[in-house]
Amino acid sequence: MKKRICLAVLGLLVTVVGFLGISVEGKAQPIVIRFSHVVAENTPKGIGAQMFKELVERRLPGKVVVEVYPRSEKFTDEQAIVGLLLGDVEMVAPSFPKFCRFGKSLQIFDIPFMFEDVAEVHRFQQSKAGLMLLSSMEAVGIKGLRYWDNGMRVLSANRSIQTPQDLKGLSFRIESSHVFHSQYASLGATPRVLPYKLLPDALKTGLVDGYENSWSNILASKLYLLRRNYTETGHSFLGYMVATSVSFWEGLPEDIRRELERTLDEVTLEVNRLAEEKALSDKNSLLHAGLVEVISLNKKEKQEWKDLLGPMSLQFTDDINPEILLAAKQAKYWRGPASLVGD
Ligand code: LMR
């Protein structure tokens, strides 16, 4: 009996000690941040995740360890967001459409032509409403930490695309967005939602004819080997929300959270600088190597796309918090103070 009580007390002690992050030898265990993403290491996000790991581990030695899982090694984005809530991962950085199940206002980033260029996206993100959007999913347990850039999406298919009519009859891989779904359906194409890691096989097997993505992903994931034609429509920006779970973030000691915030600020600047640089340099590398053909739409040609996609977008703007919608529209005109993200 005495022995059983002793064992139970010992068990309880081990549980309590484990909960407090202390090993049985009495040493404090580091906090582990598992950071899952789906793209290659040599993309702005891939480089940013690695830089975050290196800076954090240098600044908080023995206190925090960051494990980076790139290329959907651990989870797809869809799984990772749920994984945040289940405690299977602590940090993620999915593109905006992947969050739309958890907060409809995030659809602001999916509406075609909502933002004309990256400078407009930045002005919106730094507005009060843009910052509010980061905390808009806290009720479901997701905390947005920072916005990271990639670049404008370009359209690609197995035939050259100049006008919206050229999409008719083609199937396109899309991210899990209701807006993207409607966009393709309204142009007579068939949208297919697929995780990023299945995109190369879907193109290889002909499951889809086309896709849209950023130049850095097209280069890093070698998608240019699978499709040659690209069109710069300027309809959509590929960006990310770096996110964690409310419970993980609030459970961190104050000094550690502060250091992670400071590091995130620094990494964000670098990711966004790289995104701007790579959007141009990765495209040019492919062009100069003769691996892709690129059509850039002029103002009049773009207008034709806008006219067709505008009415379709209206059904989604109703779901977006009016304050957020207004701030996004104002980002077109407002030229505020020099931005934090290097505009
Ligand atoms: C996609 O799914 O196409 C992108 O979100 C991938 C990424 O993370 O850039």
Side-chain angles (χ1 to χ4, degrees):
M1 180 68 178
K2 228 176 174 180
K3 197 171 155 200
R4 234 187 286 155
I5 292 174
C6 279
L7 280 176
V9 171
L10 188 67
L12 190 66
L13 211 65
V14 169
T15 312
V16 170
V17 156
F19 183 73
L20 293 176
I22 302 167
S23 74
V24 240
E25 302 90 55
K27 273 215 304 233
Q29 292 292 297
I31 294 163
V32 178
I33 299 180
R34 289 162 295 181
F35 189 153
S36 169
H37 69 84
V38 300
V39 290
E41 290 89 332
N42 55 339
T43 55
K45 178 163 62 179
I47 296 169
Q50 187 60 26
M51 180 181 173
F52 178 73
K53 170 186 169 65
E54 284 163 20
L55 288 178
V56 166
E57 291 181 354
R58 192 181 322 139
R59 290 169 180 174
L60 295 165
K63 291 187 178 167
V64 179
V65 170
V66 181
E67 295 172 359
V68 180
Y69 298 97
R71 299 179 184 270
S72 316
E73 214 174 74
K74 208 171 175 68
F75 297 118
T76 64
D77 277 336
E78 294 76 4
Q79 292 166 333
I81 298 175
V82 177
L84 271 186
L85 302 173
L86 297 176
D88 291 334
V89 63
E90 286 72 33
M91 265 175 90
V92 297
S95 56
F96 301 123
K98 318 260 174 72
F99 288 106
C100 288
R101 281 187 292 157
F102 301 94
K104 290 231 165 106
S105 286
L106 262 295
Q107 292 184 151
I108 194 77
F109 292 109
D110 300 353
I111 308 274
F113 299 103
M114 177 56 77
F115 302 104
E116 207 70 35
D117 54 28
V118 182
E120 254 180 55
V121 174
H122 285 176
R123 281 200 291 278
F124 165 69
Q125 288 176 338
Q126 289 159 42
S127 69
K128 191 166 146 254
L131 295 173
M132 184 171 95
L133 199 50
L134 283 174
S135 40
S136 63
M137 295 178 287
E138 287 187 8
V140 290
I142 300 169
K143 182 174 179 61
L145 294 168
R146 294 295 179 278
Y147 292 117
W148 282 3
D149 293 349
N150 190 324
M152 297 306 281
R153 290 184 175 90
V154 291
L155 269 185
S156 180
N158 45 13
R159 65 175 186 232
S160 118
I161 298 200
Q162 182 93 32
T163 69
Q165 289 74 27
D166 293 333
L167 262 61
K168 214 171 177 151
L170 297 180
S171 55
F172 276 80
R173 177 268 172 175
I174 58 162
E175 295 164 62
S176 48
S177 153
H178 295 303
V179 182
F180 288 5
H181 198 279
S182 279
Q183 171 186 311
Y184 283 97
S186 74
L187 298 178
T190 306
R192 292 196 209 289
V193 176
L194 290 172
Y196 186 68
K197 73 169 179 183
L198 295 185
L199 175 57
D201 279 346
L203 290 168
K204 257 182 238 162
T205 58
L207 176 63
V208 293
D209 299 305
Y211 70 102
E212 58 178 40
N213 228 293
S214 67
W215 284 116
S216 75
N217 281 346
I218 292 164
L219 181 68
S221 293
K222 297 196 166 55
L223 299 173
Y224 61 86
L225 294 176
L226 302 166
R227 292 295 179 272
R228 209 181 144 70
N229 301 297
Y230 292 87
T231 309
E232 295 187 306
T233 49
H235 71 290
S236 167
F237 169 75
L238 171 53
Y240 310 110
M241 190 183 279
V242 183
T244 184
S245 76
V246 174
S247 60
F248 173 72
W249 204 246
E250 288 181 355
L252 289 172
E254 179 64 36
D255 57 331
I256 293 204
R257 200 167 46 228
R258 217 175 314 118
E259 195 55 56
L260 295 179
E261 294 267 9
R262 182 170 83 90
T263 306
L264 273 173
D265 280 338
E266 206 175 315
V267 176
T268 300
L269 280 173
E270 181 57 10
V271 168
N272 294 353
R273 188 194 67 73
L274 271 170
E276 189 180 358
E277 184 183 292
K278 285 175 87 52
L280 198 65
S281 62
D282 289 0
K283 169 188 156 184
N284 283 339
S285 312
L286 293 170
L287 254 179
H288 295 151
L291 293 165
V292 293
E293 274 161 41
V294 182
I295 295 176
S296 297
L297 301 185
N298 64 32
K299 213 167 162 198
K300 189 161 162 267
E301 289 165 335
K302 250 189 205 178
Q303 195 56 48
E304 194 187 346
W305 290 76
K306 285 185 186 174
D307 291 345
L308 275 171
L309 293 173
M312 173 293 288
S313 305
L314 283 180
Q315 60 177 304
F316 296 101
T317 47
D318 278 353
D319 286 338
I320 295 172
N321 174 331
E323 217 180 308
I324 285 172
L325 191 58
L326 181 68
K329 289 182 177 164
Q330 282 173 341
K332 288 206 181 317
Y333 312 107
W334 179 72
R335 304 263 155 196
S339 90
L340 277 173
V341 281
D343 280 338

